[in-house]
Amino acid sequence: MKTIALLALLIPAHALASAPAVNVRDFGAVGDGTTDDSVAIQRALDAGAGGEVFFPIGTYLVTGIPNGFWCLKVSPGTELRGEDRARTMLVEAPNQAASVQLLWIENAPDVAITNLTLDGAKASQSVNRSEERRVGKECRSRW
């Protein structure tokens, strides 16, 4: 009995607490570059909050949430990990409002993105002139 207790003390706590990676495909993400994978990926991010969320090779298209300014919300301590940086992409769908961000990571320390290409598709975003002035002014005032 004493031997078992001693072994338990030698195993780091983080090794006991680490959960297996959550795979976005297990939540319905397709990764074909045409299917909107937003809902499936957000479900995977919610399920894997604080752990690893894995993206197999593919192009994952996402759109902004209704009446929101982001496509996907990432929780503190979450790692987004792609299988291969050159062949695993998270892409914001074209014609989103210019104010829509691909990822919402505010107040979320210790977020890591590994082997995953992010494409905000900025060249194809729609721009409302009043929105452009407002967003541009906010960005300039922060810098």
Side-chain angles (χ1 to χ4, degrees):
M1 188 63 135
K2 291 180 183 179
T3 305
I4 293 172
L6 180 60
L7 288 175
L9 291 174
L10 295 176
I11 299 171
H14 72 291
L16 294 173
S18 63
V22 170
N23 188 319
V24 297
R25 296 255 171 107
D26 293 342
F27 289 82
V30 179
D32 63 3
T34 57
T35 302
D36 183 353
D37 289 319
S38 302
V39 173
I41 294 172
Q42 189 60 62
R43 286 182 183 150
L45 287 169
D46 293 344
E52 180 183 310
V53 178
F54 178 70
F55 293 77
I57 291 171
T59 300
Y60 299 89
L61 188 70
V62 294
T63 57
I65 64 166
N67 301 316
F69 295 104
W70 66 88
C71 296
L72 301 168
K73 186 174 182 182
V74 183
S75 297
T78 303
E79 177 185 4
L80 283 67
R81 185 173 60 84
E83 185 173 352
D84 179 282
R85 183 177 178 189
R87 299 183 299 153
T88 310
M89 293 171 268
L90 188 57
V91 178
E92 186 175 333
N95 300 317
Q96 300 293 300
S99 59
V100 174
Q101 301 170 12
L102 182 60
L103 298 174
W104 178 262
I105 308 179
E106 187 174 60
N107 297 321
D110 301 322
V111 169
I113 301 171
T114 309
N115 290 331
L116 183 64
T117 298
L118 304 178
D119 181 353
K122 198 61 177 171
S124 67
Q125 303 307 309
S126 64
V127 177
N128 169 323
R129 289 296 166 206
S130 63
E131 181 181 72
E132 180 180 44
R133 285 192 296 274
R134 181 181 58 79
V135 171
K137 184 178 180 182
E138 288 173 3
C139 289
R140 282 191 297 277
S141 67
R142 291 187 356 207
W143 302 105

